[in-house]
Amino acid sequence: MLPYYIEYYGNPSAAYDYATQSRRAMNEARKQIADVIGADITEIYFTSGGTEADNWAIMGAAEAFTFNSKKSVPGHVITTQIEHHAVLNSCKHLESLGYEVTYVPVNEFGIVDVKNIEKAIKPNTCLISVMMANNEIGSIQPIKEIGRLANDHSIMFHTDAVQSFGHIPIDVNEMNIDMLSASAHKCHGPKGIGFLFIRNGIKIPPYQHGGKQERRVRAGTENVPSIVGFGEAAHIINSRLLMDTEYILKLRNHFTERVINEIENVKINGSTEQRLPGNINFSFKSVNGEAVQIQLDFNNICCSTGSACNAGSKKISHVMEAINMPAEYANGSVRFSLSSFNTVDEINETVDILKEVILKLRDMENMNRL
Ligand code: PLP
Protein backbone atom coordinates (compact mmCIF):
# COMPACT_ATOMS: atom_id res chain seq x y z
CA MET A 1 0.00 0.00 0.00
CA LEU A 2 2.81 2.41 0.91
CA PRO A 3 3.98 3.44 -2.61
CA TYR A 4 0.41 4.48 -3.41
CA TYR A 5 0.56 7.15 -0.71
CA ILE A 6 3.74 8.67 -2.12
CA GLU A 7 5.37 7.58 -5.39
CA TYR A 8 2.15 6.69 -7.20
CA TYR A 9 -0.04 9.46 -5.84
CA GLY A 10 -1.81 10.13 -9.15
CA ASN A 11 -5.60 10.29 -9.14
CA PRO A 12 -6.79 7.21 -11.08
CA SER A 13 -9.46 9.25 -12.88
CA ALA A 14 -6.95 11.79 -14.21
CA ALA A 15 -5.80 11.85 -17.82
CA TYR A 16 -2.12 12.55 -17.06
CA ASP A 17 0.43 9.76 -17.34
CA TYR A 18 1.27 9.92 -13.61
CA ALA A 19 -2.17 8.35 -12.92
CA THR A 20 -1.46 5.25 -14.98
CA GLN A 21 0.15 3.25 -12.17
CA SER A 22 -2.74 4.01 -9.75
CA ARG A 23 -5.24 2.92 -12.37
CA ARG A 24 -3.31 -0.23 -13.15
CA ALA A 25 -2.99 -1.13 -9.47
CA MET A 26 -6.69 -0.58 -8.89
CA ASN A 27 -7.57 -2.88 -11.76
CA GLU A 28 -5.17 -5.51 -10.50
CA ALA A 29 -6.90 -5.35 -7.08
CA ARG A 30 -10.28 -5.61 -8.77
CA LYS A 31 -9.09 -8.79 -10.50
CA GLN A 32 -7.66 -10.24 -7.27
CA ILE A 33 -11.01 -9.64 -5.56
CA ALA A 34 -13.18 -10.82 -8.44
CA ASP A 35 -11.20 -14.09 -8.55
CA VAL A 36 -12.12 -14.90 -4.92
CA ILE A 37 -15.84 -15.03 -5.75
CA GLY A 38 -15.76 -16.14 -9.40
CA ALA A 39 -16.90 -12.74 -10.67
CA ASP A 40 -15.86 -10.66 -13.66
CA ILE A 41 -13.78 -7.54 -12.94
CA THR A 42 -16.56 -5.38 -14.41
CA GLU A 43 -18.86 -6.59 -11.61
CA ILE A 44 -16.79 -5.25 -8.66
CA TYR A 45 -17.54 -1.71 -7.38
CA PHE A 46 -15.37 -0.35 -4.58
CA THR A 47 -17.14 1.25 -1.61
CA SER A 48 -16.14 2.66 1.77
CA GLY A 49 -16.91 -0.70 3.42
CA GLY A 50 -19.57 -3.29 4.07
CA THR A 51 -22.12 -0.81 5.40
CA GLU A 52 -22.14 1.27 2.24
CA ALA A 53 -22.29 -1.86 0.07
CA ASP A 54 -25.28 -3.22 2.06
CA ASN A 55 -27.09 0.13 1.98
CA TRP A 56 -26.49 0.50 -1.73
CA ALA A 57 -27.76 -3.00 -2.59
CA ILE A 58 -30.93 -2.66 -0.51
CA MET A 59 -31.85 0.93 -1.30
CA GLY A 60 -30.87 0.36 -4.93
CA ALA A 61 -33.06 -2.72 -5.40
CA ALA A 62 -36.02 -0.93 -3.79
CA GLU A 63 -35.53 2.20 -5.85
CA ALA A 64 -35.16 0.17 -9.06
CA PHE A 65 -38.46 -1.58 -8.30
CA THR A 66 -40.27 1.70 -7.74
CA PHE A 67 -38.79 3.15 -10.89
CA ASN A 68 -39.65 0.11 -13.04
CA SER A 69 -43.08 -0.75 -11.62
CA LYS A 70 -45.83 0.64 -13.74
CA LYS A 71 -48.29 0.64 -10.82
CA SER A 72 -47.40 2.60 -7.72
CA VAL A 73 -47.22 -0.55 -5.49
CA PRO A 74 -44.54 -0.28 -2.80
CA GLY A 75 -41.82 -2.90 -3.14
CA HIS A 76 -41.39 -5.74 -0.63
CA VAL A 77 -38.07 -6.93 0.76
CA ILE A 78 -37.39 -10.26 2.49
CA THR A 79 -34.55 -10.51 4.96
CA THR A 80 -33.83 -12.35 8.22
CA GLN A 81 -34.04 -11.36 11.88
CA ILE A 82 -30.30 -11.84 12.42
CA GLU A 83 -28.80 -9.56 9.77
CA HIS A 84 -26.15 -6.99 10.63
CA HIS A 85 -27.54 -3.53 11.40
CA ALA A 86 -26.18 -2.31 8.05
CA VAL A 87 -28.96 -4.42 6.51
CA LEU A 88 -31.57 -4.22 9.27
CA ASN A 89 -31.43 -0.43 9.55
CA SER A 90 -31.52 -0.03 5.76
CA CYS A 91 -34.70 -2.14 5.83
CA LYS A 92 -36.12 -0.04 8.68
CA HIS A 93 -35.42 3.04 6.57
CA LEU A 94 -37.24 1.47 3.62
CA GLU A 95 -40.24 0.79 5.90
CA SER A 96 -40.26 4.45 6.90
CA LEU A 97 -40.52 5.26 3.17
CA GLY A 98 -43.54 2.97 2.75
CA TYR A 99 -41.88 -0.24 1.58
CA GLU A 100 -42.79 -3.57 3.14
CA VAL A 101 -40.18 -5.77 4.82
CA THR A 102 -40.51 -9.35 6.11
CA TYR A 103 -37.96 -10.38 8.73
CA VAL A 104 -37.87 -14.19 8.48
CA PRO A 105 -37.00 -16.00 11.75
CA VAL A 106 -34.12 -18.46 12.17
CA ASN A 107 -33.90 -21.72 14.13
CA GLU A 108 -32.09 -22.25 17.45
CA PHE A 109 -28.78 -22.54 15.55
CA GLY A 110 -29.28 -19.25 13.74
CA ILE A 111 -30.12 -20.84 10.38
CA VAL A 112 -33.00 -19.77 8.17
CA ASP A 113 -35.34 -22.30 6.57
CA VAL A 114 -35.59 -21.73 2.80
CA LYS A 115 -39.26 -22.77 2.93
CA ASN A 116 -39.98 -19.80 5.21
CA ILE A 117 -38.36 -17.47 2.69
CA GLU A 118 -40.46 -19.02 -0.06
CA LYS A 119 -43.64 -18.54 2.01
CA ALA A 120 -42.78 -14.86 2.45
CA ILE A 121 -42.58 -14.14 -1.31
CA LYS A 122 -45.28 -11.75 -2.60
CA PRO A 123 -46.00 -10.45 -6.09
CA ASN A 124 -44.23 -7.18 -5.19
CA THR A 125 -41.10 -8.80 -3.65
CA CYS A 126 -38.17 -6.99 -5.22
CA LEU A 127 -35.28 -8.24 -3.10
CA ILE A 128 -34.20 -11.13 -0.90
CA SER A 129 -31.25 -10.17 1.28
CA VAL A 130 -29.79 -12.91 3.48
CA MET A 131 -26.36 -12.76 5.04
CA MET A 132 -23.94 -15.53 4.09
CA ALA A 133 -22.67 -15.96 7.65
CA ASN A 134 -23.63 -14.27 10.88
CA ASN A 135 -21.17 -11.96 12.59
CA GLU A 136 -22.05 -13.00 16.15
CA ILE A 137 -22.59 -16.74 16.01
CA GLY A 138 -20.97 -17.58 12.67
CA SER A 139 -23.96 -19.56 11.34
CA ILE A 140 -23.73 -20.11 7.58
CA GLN A 141 -26.98 -19.79 5.64
CA PRO A 142 -28.11 -22.06 2.75
CA ILE A 143 -27.14 -19.39 0.23
CA LYS A 144 -27.14 -21.61 -2.86
CA GLU A 145 -30.72 -22.76 -2.19
CA ILE A 146 -31.89 -19.21 -1.47
CA GLY A 147 -30.18 -18.03 -4.66
CA ARG A 148 -31.97 -20.71 -6.66
CA LEU A 149 -35.31 -19.76 -5.11
CA ALA A 150 -34.78 -16.07 -5.88
CA ASN A 151 -33.71 -16.88 -9.42
CA ASP A 152 -36.79 -19.11 -9.99
CA HIS A 153 -39.01 -16.19 -8.95
CA SER A 154 -36.96 -13.55 -10.83
CA ILE A 155 -36.28 -11.70 -7.59
CA MET A 156 -32.94 -9.95 -6.98
CA PHE A 157 -30.78 -11.75 -4.43
CA HIS A 158 -28.27 -9.92 -2.25
CA THR A 159 -26.01 -11.46 0.35
CA ASP A 160 -23.96 -9.70 2.99
CA ALA A 161 -20.73 -11.69 2.81
CA VAL A 162 -18.72 -9.34 5.03
CA GLN A 163 -17.90 -12.17 7.44
CA SER A 164 -17.50 -14.85 4.78
CA PHE A 165 -15.32 -13.26 2.11
CA GLY A 166 -11.92 -14.97 2.33
CA HIS A 167 -13.12 -17.38 5.02
CA ILE A 168 -15.30 -19.85 3.14
CA PRO A 169 -15.45 -20.69 -0.59
CA ILE A 170 -17.79 -18.40 -2.55
CA ASP A 171 -18.90 -18.72 -6.17
CA VAL A 172 -21.41 -16.07 -7.17
CA ASN A 173 -22.47 -18.04 -10.26
CA GLU A 174 -22.95 -21.38 -8.57
CA MET A 175 -24.78 -19.65 -5.73
CA ASN A 176 -27.00 -17.50 -8.02
CA ILE A 177 -25.98 -14.32 -6.21
CA ASP A 178 -26.93 -11.02 -7.88
CA MET A 179 -25.27 -8.71 -5.37
CA LEU A 180 -22.68 -9.39 -2.66
CA SER A 181 -21.15 -7.06 -0.07
CA ALA A 182 -17.73 -7.48 1.51
CA SER A 183 -15.27 -5.51 3.59
CA ALA A 184 -11.46 -5.65 3.67
CA HIS A 185 -10.83 -5.51 7.38
CA LYS A 186 -12.53 -8.88 7.92
CA CYS A 187 -9.82 -10.60 5.91
CA HIS A 188 -6.75 -8.80 7.30
CA GLY A 189 -7.03 -5.92 4.83
CA PRO A 190 -7.25 -2.20 5.65
CA LYS A 191 -10.26 -0.64 7.36
CA GLY A 192 -12.67 1.61 5.47
CA ILE A 193 -12.73 -0.18 2.14
CA GLY A 194 -15.16 -2.72 0.74
CA PHE A 195 -16.99 -3.58 -2.44
CA LEU A 196 -20.36 -4.41 -3.85
CA PHE A 197 -20.50 -7.13 -6.50
CA ILE A 198 -23.32 -6.35 -8.93
CA ARG A 199 -23.93 -9.05 -11.52
CA ASN A 200 -23.72 -7.72 -15.07
CA GLY A 201 -27.29 -7.17 -16.24
CA ILE A 202 -28.61 -6.28 -12.77
CA LYS A 203 -29.59 -2.63 -12.81
CA ILE A 204 -29.66 -0.60 -9.61
CA PRO A 205 -29.25 3.17 -9.42
CA PRO A 206 -26.16 4.77 -7.86
CA TYR A 207 -26.28 5.33 -4.12
CA GLN A 208 -23.69 8.06 -4.13
CA HIS A 209 -24.10 10.74 -6.80
CA GLY A 210 -21.31 12.82 -8.32
CA GLY A 211 -18.46 12.03 -10.69
CA LYS A 212 -17.97 9.21 -13.14
CA GLN A 213 -15.85 6.87 -11.04
CA GLU A 214 -16.56 3.13 -10.84
CA ARG A 215 -18.17 3.03 -14.26
CA ARG A 216 -20.42 5.96 -13.33
CA VAL A 217 -22.31 4.20 -10.55
CA ARG A 218 -20.27 4.95 -7.43
CA ALA A 219 -19.06 8.52 -7.44
CA GLY A 220 -16.05 9.74 -5.47
CA THR A 221 -12.27 9.49 -5.90
CA GLU A 222 -11.17 5.96 -5.13
CA ASN A 223 -9.10 5.15 -2.04
CA VAL A 224 -6.23 3.69 -4.07
CA PRO A 225 -3.85 2.56 -1.26
CA SER A 226 -6.69 0.78 0.54
CA ILE A 227 -7.95 -0.80 -2.67
CA VAL A 228 -4.43 -2.10 -3.33
CA GLY A 229 -4.28 -3.45 0.25
CA PHE A 230 -7.68 -5.07 -0.10
CA GLY A 231 -6.66 -6.77 -3.36
CA GLU A 232 -3.49 -8.14 -1.83
CA ALA A 233 -5.27 -9.33 1.34
CA ALA A 234 -7.94 -11.04 -0.76
CA HIS A 235 -5.31 -12.75 -2.90
CA ILE A 236 -3.27 -13.96 0.09
CA ILE A 237 -6.20 -15.19 2.17
CA ASN A 238 -7.77 -16.97 -0.79
CA SER A 239 -4.55 -18.71 -1.80
CA ARG A 240 -4.29 -20.14 1.74
CA LEU A 241 -7.98 -20.81 2.34
CA LEU A 242 -7.91 -24.62 2.67
CA MET A 243 -4.71 -24.74 4.67
CA ASP A 244 -5.75 -21.94 7.02
CA THR A 245 -9.25 -23.37 7.50
CA GLU A 246 -7.78 -26.69 8.62
CA TYR A 247 -5.45 -24.95 11.08
CA ILE A 248 -8.12 -22.59 12.45
CA LEU A 249 -10.57 -25.49 12.91
CA LYS A 250 -7.95 -27.35 14.95
CA LEU A 251 -7.53 -24.28 17.18
CA ARG A 252 -11.29 -23.86 17.50
CA ASN A 253 -11.87 -27.52 18.38
CA HIS A 254 -9.16 -27.38 21.00
CA PHE A 255 -10.59 -24.16 22.43
CA THR A 256 -14.14 -25.52 22.50
CA GLU A 257 -13.17 -28.86 24.04
CA ARG A 258 -11.22 -27.23 26.83
CA VAL A 259 -13.98 -24.72 27.64
CA ILE A 260 -16.73 -27.38 27.63
CA ASN A 261 -14.68 -29.80 29.75
CA GLU A 262 -13.23 -27.31 32.19
CA ILE A 263 -15.96 -24.71 32.74
CA GLU A 264 -19.41 -25.57 34.10
CA ASN A 265 -22.71 -24.33 32.73
CA VAL A 266 -21.58 -23.14 29.36
CA LYS A 267 -23.36 -23.34 25.99
CA ILE A 268 -22.03 -22.97 22.47
CA ASN A 269 -24.20 -20.53 20.53
CA GLY A 270 -24.91 -21.33 16.89
CA SER A 271 -24.35 -24.42 14.81
CA THR A 272 -21.31 -26.64 15.25
CA GLU A 273 -21.30 -27.70 11.58
CA GLN A 274 -22.71 -24.80 9.53
CA ARG A 275 -20.32 -22.28 11.00
CA LEU A 276 -17.47 -19.97 10.02
CA PRO A 277 -14.18 -21.67 10.98
CA GLY A 278 -12.86 -18.74 13.01
CA ASN A 279 -16.01 -17.98 14.98
CA ILE A 280 -16.78 -19.29 18.43
CA ASN A 281 -19.46 -17.91 20.70
CA PHE A 282 -19.99 -19.17 24.26
CA SER A 283 -22.69 -18.32 26.78
CA PHE A 284 -21.74 -18.66 30.42
CA LYS A 285 -24.73 -19.13 32.73
CA SER A 286 -25.32 -16.40 35.35
CA VAL A 287 -22.33 -14.36 34.19
CA ASN A 288 -22.37 -11.00 32.49
CA GLY A 289 -20.61 -11.14 29.10
CA GLU A 290 -19.37 -7.56 29.41
CA ALA A 291 -17.73 -8.35 32.75
CA VAL A 292 -15.94 -11.29 31.10
CA GLN A 293 -14.83 -9.04 28.25
CA ILE A 294 -13.41 -6.43 30.64
CA GLN A 295 -11.53 -9.00 32.71
CA LEU A 296 -10.05 -10.59 29.59
CA ASP A 297 -9.12 -7.18 28.27
CA PHE A 298 -7.04 -6.58 31.43
CA ASN A 299 -5.09 -9.64 30.25
CA ASN A 300 -4.72 -8.33 26.68
CA ILE A 301 -7.22 -10.84 25.31
CA CYS A 302 -9.67 -9.28 22.85
CA CYS A 303 -13.14 -10.74 22.60
CA SER A 304 -16.55 -9.26 22.10
CA THR A 305 -20.07 -9.43 23.45
CA GLY A 306 -22.68 -9.19 20.74
CA SER A 307 -21.45 -7.36 17.69
CA ALA A 308 -18.64 -4.82 18.18
CA CYS A 309 -20.85 -2.19 16.59
CA ASN A 310 -23.24 -2.80 19.51
CA ALA A 311 -20.69 -2.53 22.28
CA GLY A 312 -22.04 -0.46 25.13
CA SER A 313 -25.63 -1.44 24.46
CA LYS A 314 -27.26 -3.03 27.52
CA LYS A 315 -29.94 -4.91 25.60
CA ILE A 316 -29.23 -8.53 24.67
CA SER A 317 -28.38 -8.75 21.03
CA HIS A 318 -31.07 -9.27 18.40
CA VAL A 319 -29.24 -12.44 17.36
CA MET A 320 -29.46 -13.97 20.86
CA GLU A 321 -33.11 -13.00 20.93
CA ALA A 322 -33.74 -14.58 17.52
CA ILE A 323 -32.22 -17.93 18.54
CA ASN A 324 -34.32 -17.88 21.75
CA MET A 325 -31.35 -18.06 24.07
CA PRO A 326 -32.64 -18.39 27.69
CA ALA A 327 -32.12 -15.13 29.62
CA GLU A 328 -29.70 -16.62 32.18
CA TYR A 329 -27.40 -17.53 29.28
CA ALA A 330 -28.11 -14.70 26.83
CA ASN A 331 -26.41 -12.06 28.98
CA GLY A 332 -23.28 -14.14 29.28
CA SER A 333 -22.48 -14.46 25.60
CA VAL A 334 -18.90 -13.88 24.52
CA ARG A 335 -17.53 -14.15 20.98
CA PHE A 336 -13.97 -15.05 20.06
CA SER A 337 -12.63 -14.69 16.52
CA LEU A 338 -9.69 -16.88 15.56
CA SER A 339 -7.34 -16.50 12.63
CA SER A 340 -4.28 -18.20 11.18
CA PHE A 341 -2.18 -15.76 13.23
CA ASN A 342 -3.36 -17.31 16.52
CA THR A 343 -1.47 -20.15 18.22
CA VAL A 344 -2.31 -23.11 20.49
CA ASP A 345 -0.39 -21.38 23.29
CA GLU A 346 -2.65 -18.34 23.00
CA ILE A 347 -5.72 -20.57 23.15
CA ASN A 348 -4.39 -22.34 26.26
CA GLU A 349 -3.56 -19.06 27.95
CA THR A 350 -7.03 -17.72 27.09
CA VAL A 351 -8.80 -20.77 28.55
CA ASP A 352 -6.67 -20.67 31.72
CA ILE A 353 -7.56 -17.02 32.28
CA LEU A 354 -11.19 -17.51 31.25
CA LYS A 355 -11.60 -20.27 33.85
CA GLU A 356 -10.36 -17.97 36.61
CA VAL A 357 -12.51 -15.08 35.39
CA ILE A 358 -15.72 -17.14 35.26
CA LEU A 359 -15.08 -18.60 38.74
CA LYS A 360 -14.40 -15.13 40.16
CA LEU A 361 -17.50 -13.58 38.55
CA ARG A 362 -19.73 -16.44 39.69
CA ASP A 363 -18.36 -16.17 43.26
CA MET A 364 -19.10 -12.44 43.22
CA GLU A 365 -22.62 -13.12 41.92
CA ASN A 366 -23.21 -15.66 44.72
CA MET A 367 -21.93 -13.24 47.36
CA ASN A 368 -24.25 -10.52 46.06
CA ARG A 369 -27.18 -12.90 46.41
CA LEU A 370 -26.44 -13.62 50.10
N1 PLP B 1 -22.12 -6.83 7.71
C1 PLP B 1 -21.57 -7.67 8.60
C2 PLP B 1 -22.05 -9.08 8.66
C3 PLP B 1 -20.56 -7.21 9.47
O1 PLP B 1 -20.04 -8.05 10.35
C4 PLP B 1 -20.15 -5.87 9.37
C5 PLP B 1 -19.12 -5.33 10.28
O2 PLP B 1 -18.80 -5.88 11.30
C6 PLP B 1 -20.74 -5.04 8.40
C7 PLP B 1 -21.73 -5.55 7.59
C8 PLP B 1 -20.33 -3.61 8.23
O3 PLP B 1 -19.09 -3.55 7.56
P1 PLP B 1 -18.17 -2.23 7.65
O4 PLP B 1 -17.77 -2.11 9.07
O5 PLP B 1 -17.04 -2.51 6.72
O6 PLP B 1 -18.99 -1.09 7.20
Side-chain angles (χ1 to χ4, degrees):
M1 292 168 67
L2 289 177
Y4 294 90
Y5 283 111
I6 304 163
E7 286 122 275
Y8 308 124
Y9 190 70
N11 183 336
S13 303
Y16 44 72
D17 189 47
Y18 183 42
T20 311
Q21 185 56 28
S22 309
R23 236 186 338 263
R24 215 179 268 151
M26 222 168 62
N27 285 337
E28 172 61 22
R30 216 185 287 282
K31 166 101 180 74
Q32 287 171 314
I33 286 166
D35 283 351
V36 176
I37 59 170
D40 188 81
I41 51 165
T42 57
E43 298 174 314
I44 305 295
Y45 300 88
F46 289 114
T47 63
S48 61
T51 302
E52 185 192 325
D54 283 343
N55 274 258
W56 183 10
I58 292 164
M59 302 309 293
E63 212 185 304
F65 177 84
T66 308
F67 185 76
N68 294 332
S69 91
K70 302 281 175 283
K71 304 161 227 148
S72 55
V73 194
H76 169 241
V77 173
I78 300 173
T79 188
T80 77
Q81 292 179 349
I82 62 163
E83 299 296 310
H84 188 273
H85 282 108
V87 167
L88 287 179
N89 289 347
S90 298
C91 288
K92 293 259 150 35
H93 181 59
L94 279 183
E95 285 183 290
S96 76
L97 298 175
Y99 290 85
E100 282 180 83
V101 181
T102 303
Y103 301 89
V104 178
V106 291
N107 68 13
E108 65 194 295
F109 302 111
I111 296 181
V112 72
D113 186 335
V114 185
K115 287 196 206 89
N116 289 336
I117 297 188
E118 189 167 14
K119 276 189 222 149
I121 294 175
K122 300 182 182 193
N124 58 336
T125 304
C126 58
L127 177 72
I128 298 176
S129 178
V130 175
M131 68 196 326
M132 194 168 282
N134 183 263
N135 44 306
E136 286 187 44
I137 56 172
S139 48
I140 299 175
Q141 304 301 337
I143 290 300
K144 194 171 165 182
E145 290 72 19
I146 301 170
R148 196 179 306 133
L149 174 73
N151 196 36
D152 289 349
H153 289 79
S154 305
I155 298 169
M156 269 190 222
F157 176 44
H158 164 249
T159 186
D160 173 341
V162 169
Q163 293 285 335
S164 324
F165 181 83
H167 297 280
I168 53 173
I170 303 175
D171 184 323
V172 286
N173 298 317
E174 206 184 294
M175 294 172 153
N176 282 304
I177 296 167
D178 293 320
M179 293 187 282
L180 176 147
S181 319
S183 188
H185 70 282
K186 304 296 181 191
C187 63
H188 308 292
K191 294 170 194 70
I193 185 77
F195 74 86
L196 180 65
F197 153 82
I198 309 177
R199 178 176 292 291
N200 283 336
I202 292 288
K203 293 264 177 292
I204 61 163
Y207 183 59
Q208 214 159 273
H209 302 270
K212 296 178 183 161
Q213 292 87 355
E214 298 296 284
R215 293 184 297 290
R216 297 170 185 262
V217 289
R218 199 282 185 177
T221 300
E222 294 91 344
N223 181 348
V224 179
S226 293
I227 289 173
V228 169
F230 190 7
E232 198 58 26
H235 173 68
I236 295 170
I237 202 165
N238 197 45
S239 62
R240 304 170 46 106
L241 188 61
L242 285 180
M243 189 174 64
D244 283 353
T245 301
E246 202 181 313
Y247 174 74
I248 296 167
L249 280 177
K250 268 191 200 143
L251 289 184
R252 192 179 83 189
N253 292 342
H254 178 64
F255 192 5
T256 315
E257 269 167 33
R258 277 205 62 191
V259 168
I260 296 292
N261 292 332
E262 298 175 37
I263 302 180
E264 285 181 353
N265 292 321
V266 55
K267 271 186 195 296
I268 296 176
N269 298 316
S271 162
T272 41
E273 283 106 39
Q274 297 296 104
R275 182 180 204 113
L276 288 174
N279 173 289
I280 184 73
N281 189 314
F282 299 111
S283 268
F284 301 98
K285 189 178 176 191
S286 314
V287 169
N288 182 289
E290 269 180 36
V292 178
Q293 184 189 31
I294 293 166
Q295 294 292 325
L296 291 182
D297 199 24
F298 287 146
N299 290 280
N300 293 324
I301 296 167
C302 309
C303 67
S304 108
T305 57
S307 128
C309 326
N310 260 348
S313 144
K314 286 264 181 292
K315 209 172 156 280
I316 71 160
S317 89
H318 64 291
V319 178
M320 290 297 141
E321 240 168 39
I323 61 172
N324 282 321
M325 182 54 51
E328 76 266 32
Y329 278 98
N331 281 322
S333 108
V334 183
R335 176 187 62 162
F336 295 89
S337 302
L338 309 178
S339 84
S340 56
F341 295 108
N342 291 120
T343 63
V344 176
D345 285 349
E346 285 173 341
I347 301 291
N348 284 333
E349 191 187 334
T350 302
V351 181
D352 292 343
I353 294 169
L354 191 58
K355 277 164 65 177
E356 279 173 31
V357 165
I358 301 291
L359 270 181
K360 187 166 115 186
L361 291 173
R362 282 185 176 152
D363 276 354
M364 279 164 59
E365 179 69 24
N366 287 338
M367 297 229 301
N368 284 344
R369 276 212 208 104
L370 292 175

